[in-house]
Amino acid sequence: MPSAEIEWVKKYWDGLAAAEQPKSMQAMRLLDDHWATLTAEPADVDYRHEVVGGVRCLWAEPKGGLADRVLLCFHGGGYMMGSPYSHRKLYGHLAAVVGCRALLVGYRLTPENPFPAQIDDAASAYRGLLAAGIDGSKIALVGDSAGGGLALALALRTRDERLPAPAAVMGMSAWTDMSLLGASYDTNRETDRVFRKEMVGGLVAMLLGPDGDRTNPYASPLHGNLAGLPPVFLQAGGDEAILDDSVSFAAKAREEGVDVRLDVFPGLLHTFQMAAGRAPEADDALGRLADWVRPRLGIMNV
């Protein structure tokens, strides 16, 4: 049975689906910032700003965490909402259980900054870490929703540009397919009232424009050549509309020789991990990510 605490995720999404449409982008972004109320404040995590690779970023630094290992984090929000601040607690929790620092990237948002601004900023932040002396083998990429797709796209770009490869990639409800082909948009339509194809299609148009290439792998990593990617761990809720974005990516990655793991959580919704520190399901999910990524980052003990 789902915990009472995880039900707050459903209440949040149902409330968003029922809310009156905000009349401006600013109002919409302010509404989206309430996402952060799902997450408890992590203990013993400090935050500080830094410009890395020319991109505004926010460090989440757990006390006692390793300084030479980094989780490079990309927030969700459909590429038009969200920020390092709305997601600082989520990634603060993850950094604490992994035992190293997390760098939350403040990549540019649409519609003011259409594609490829987002992947360009992600690559700039990664290059900034490399320039600061952090080896790629000590960096793990992680993101939720749009940020999960961005983390996977960055892994493709680092391979294509022959940069030092990151140690691993993790995605929570990763949005990997701008062509919206997943059958789960239909099969989970009644359980996921927010991420319906009509709404997600609007986000795609905002990011790529009316004539943009929906199969560009830096926007839709599902459509890329996945061979040579580092190990990948994807998590998704069994009741979410974009479930198939993770299922299809994992299947294709496995066929192309990638070390990939997919955990689907029955009955749970999009980015339920945002309930970290409150709901046991969210804490379990972050614990799985931490247990998986620590050896890949060379972290033996926390």
Side-chain angles (χ1 to χ4, degrees):
M1 289 290 293
S3 68
E5 293 81 4
I6 203 67
E7 287 298 310
W8 283 103
V9 175
K10 177 175 173 52
K11 290 178 181 178
Y12 171 79
W13 290 126
D14 285 350
L16 197 62
E20 181 180 347
Q21 184 72 12
K23 293 181 171 57
S24 69
M25 185 62 67
Q26 181 181 19
M28 188 175 296
R29 287 171 176 162
L30 287 172
L31 179 65
D32 185 70
D33 281 345
H34 289 293
W35 205 359
T37 61
L38 292 171
T39 320
E41 191 70 55
D44 298 324
V45 176
D46 295 325
Y47 302 93
R48 63 181 179 87
H49 298 92
E50 185 176 343
V51 174
V52 178
V55 182
R56 297 181 304 106
C57 297
L58 182 71
W59 284 104
E61 299 176 322
K63 296 189 185 306
L66 295 175
D68 64 343
R69 270 63 162 193
V70 176
L71 303 177
L72 187 60
C73 306
F74 303 98
H75 66 82
Y79 293 115
M80 75 169 186
M81 296 182 290
S83 71
Y85 310 107
S86 63
H87 286 63
R88 67 173 180 83
K89 293 184 289 182
L90 170 63
Y91 290 112
H93 278 287
L94 183 58
V97 293
V98 172
C100 70
R101 299 188 295 166
L103 185 67
L104 286 71
V105 179
Y107 60 85
R108 287 170 288 173
L109 301 177
T110 62
E112 299 92 338
N113 305 282
F115 178 82
Q118 298 71 32
I119 186 64
D120 286 347
D121 286 352
S124 293
Y126 187 75
R127 287 178 179 276
L129 287 178
L130 297 176
I134 305 294
D135 190 83
S137 65
K138 296 180 180 179
I139 302 171
L141 313 179
V142 56
D144 62 284
S145 192
L150 188 54
L152 293 164
L154 177 58
L156 292 174
R157 183 154 166 176
T158 60
R159 181 204 61 192
D160 295 346
E161 296 185 355
R162 299 185 179 181
L163 295 172
V169 190
M170 299 177 285
M172 296 172 274
S173 299
W175 185 20
T176 69
D177 181 17
M178 294 285 156
S179 61
L180 312 183
L181 294 178
S184 53
Y185 279 109
D186 297 319
T187 57
N188 285 346
R189 184 175 177 85
E190 296 308 313
T191 54
D192 189 340
R193 298 177 56 202
V194 173
F195 294 94
R196 292 180 169 174
K197 189 177 289 189
E198 302 89 337
M199 187 278 282
V200 180
L203 296 176
V204 173
M206 195 176 297
L207 179 71
L208 299 177
D211 302 316
D213 180 4
R214 295 188 175 202
T215 64
N216 185 312
Y218 296 154
S220 290
L222 176 62
H223 295 279
N225 171 13
L226 307 184
L229 287 186
V232 173
F233 184 5
L234 300 177
Q235 295 182 341
D239 280 0
E240 66 171 298
I242 68 166
L243 168 62
D244 280 353
D245 281 44
S246 293
V247 173
S248 297
F249 188 95
K252 181 177 180 181
R254 193 171 292 113
E255 289 174 359
E256 297 184 14
V258 179
D259 175 6
V260 61
R261 171 177 169 179
L262 169 66
D263 285 5
V264 176
F265 295 77
L268 299 188
L269 287 169
H270 191 69
T271 60
F272 67 89
Q273 297 88 343
M274 283 293 284
R278 301 190 193 278
E281 294 89 344
D283 292 340
D284 169 59
L286 294 190
R288 295 187 198 189
L289 293 172
D291 290 344
W292 180 87
V293 80
R294 274 196 297 264
R296 289 167 173 81
L297 287 172
I299 302 174
M300 297 300 109
N301 297 295
V302 179

